[in-house]
Amino acid sequence: MTRILGLIDGSNYAASVCDHIAWIAKKTDVSVELLHVIGDQETVEPADLSGNIGLGARTALLKELAELDAQKAKVAQKRGRLLLEDAKARLHAAGIASVETRLRNGDLIETVQEMEAGADIIVIGKRGEGADFAKGHLGSNLERVVRSTHRAIVIASRAFKPVNKLLIAFDGGATALKTVDQVARSPILDGLGAKLVMAGADTTENRRKLDDAAVILKAAGYSPDLSLVPGSAEKVISEAIEIEGFDLLAMGAYSHSRLRTLFLGSTTTEMIRSCKVPVVIFR
């Protein structure tokens, strides 16, 4: 049985997270834990009482602020429970019987790290409540979750669409080869049409790397198409998805080198941001 940890917030992506979980459930037996985390900023605002306020007035103000914090905490708890109940009902309606809910206070990343030991896959929305849709920014928590987790993670697009065609981003490196191997062994991807796309020069070496990766997929029953296209990975991959109508992108995780990311930028982040389809990332 595949154990799924679904991250639920108040964004439009929460329903899509449930729908992507339902899609996985059609591929394999699943048990689901839905998690909503109430961050500290949702319940507490710092009070600046350094101004020229008298002692009596300051005491009254502190009492009023404490009551306000308590009210905000109650509202956040009630809202969190409602979000989880709605998500659970959506999964039950999709035929998933085993669904548990968890409402926690604290830091999202620390909570996910605590709970991921009991999960095989994490499902999260591409953008959360705080994302800037106008500027196309990702949710502030997404990259932190993807970087911190050791589990496969499915990043849900804004609305779920049936998944039939899989594009595998391949750069010939060890991480990409590991991703191909995990795709080959994944029950949720079994039966999809697959294409390996590599951005780079048309050299004998790159062709050999693509052929080696294809051998792994063919052994698992895939009949992959292969493509070697010059250009940047972000441009080549996003154009292939758009033009050829792929439904899902599989790729390796972020580099663990923060120094490399600082100077070279993050291809992973850019591809997640620019592609309009869900993304599955393997570690």
Side-chain angles (χ1 to χ4, degrees):
M1 178 172 287
T2 300
R3 300 164 300 175
I4 300 175
L5 178 62
L7 306 186
I8 300 297
D9 66 5
S11 73
N12 292 333
Y13 285 80
S16 182
V17 166
C18 294
D19 294 344
H20 282 81
I21 292 173
W23 166 67
I24 296 171
K26 291 179 181 176
K27 296 281 190 171
T28 182
D29 292 336
V30 301
S31 64
V32 181
E33 273 199 314
L34 297 173
L35 172 66
H36 177 72
V37 178
I38 301 171
D40 293 337
Q41 71 278 9
E42 293 182 61
T43 57
V44 177
E45 288 183 355
D48 181 7
L49 302 180
S50 60
N52 189 20
I53 304 176
L55 180 59
R58 186 176 303 182
T59 301
L61 182 56
L62 280 171
K63 182 180 178 183
E64 191 173 331
L65 287 171
E67 292 173 351
L68 180 60
D69 286 343
Q71 290 175 3
K72 289 179 64 179
K74 287 181 180 178
V75 170
Q77 289 276 336
K78 185 174 182 179
R79 177 176 180 269
R81 281 193 292 271
L82 288 173
L83 291 172
L84 289 170
E85 287 172 8
D86 285 349
K88 184 176 182 178
R90 194 177 184 96
L91 292 181
H92 279 168
I96 303 175
S98 179
V99 182
E100 301 291 335
T101 60
R102 297 284 184 271
L103 179 63
R104 295 287 187 87
N105 290 282
D107 180 76
L108 173 64
I109 308 306
E110 292 176 358
T111 307
V112 170
Q113 288 177 325
E114 175 190 336
M115 296 185 65
E116 72 170 9
D120 300 303
I121 300 173
I122 296 173
V123 183
I124 184 175
K126 186 174 181 178
R127 294 184 173 87
E129 295 175 78
D132 189 336
F133 285 87
K135 296 181 179 179
H137 290 170
L138 298 174
S140 59
N141 287 317
L142 175 62
E143 184 171 335
R144 295 172 64 217
V145 171
V146 176
R147 284 188 183 280
S148 64
T149 184
H150 295 87
R151 296 290 182 264
I153 184 165
V154 174
I155 301 170
S157 51
R158 191 167 189 177
F160 176 80
K161 294 180 180 178
V163 178
N164 297 304
K165 295 177 64 179
L166 169 68
L167 188 150
I168 306 168
F170 186 74
D171 65 4
T175 299
L177 204 57
K178 183 179 177 183
T179 297
V180 171
D181 180 62
Q182 289 174 308
V183 167
R185 291 185 288 108
S186 173
I188 71 172
L189 305 178
D190 185 33
L192 299 181
K195 184 172 186 175
L196 275 165
V197 177
M198 183 175 185
D202 191 353
T203 64
T204 302
E205 178 65 10
N206 283 339
R207 289 284 175 192
R208 182 189 62 76
K209 290 178 178 177
L210 270 176
D211 290 340
D212 288 346
V215 168
I216 298 173
L217 292 173
K218 289 176 181 176
Y222 287 91
S223 300
D225 294 324
L226 308 180
S227 180
L228 179 57
V229 183
S232 68
E234 298 93 324
K235 186 172 185 294
V236 168
I237 299 299
S238 60
E239 285 185 353
I241 289 172
E242 189 75 20
I243 295 171
E244 301 180 48
F246 286 94
D247 308 305
L248 179 67
L249 169 64
M251 58 191 295
Y254 293 90
S255 165
H256 284 288
S257 169
R258 292 192 176 277
L259 189 62
R260 182 178 184 276
T261 298
L262 178 64
F263 285 102
L264 300 181
S266 171
T267 300
T268 308
T269 298
E270 181 54 29
M271 287 222 268
I272 295 171
R273 191 195 65 77
S274 60
C275 294
K276 298 177 181 177
V277 298
V279 180
V280 56
I281 293 180
F282 292 101
R283 301 307 303 256

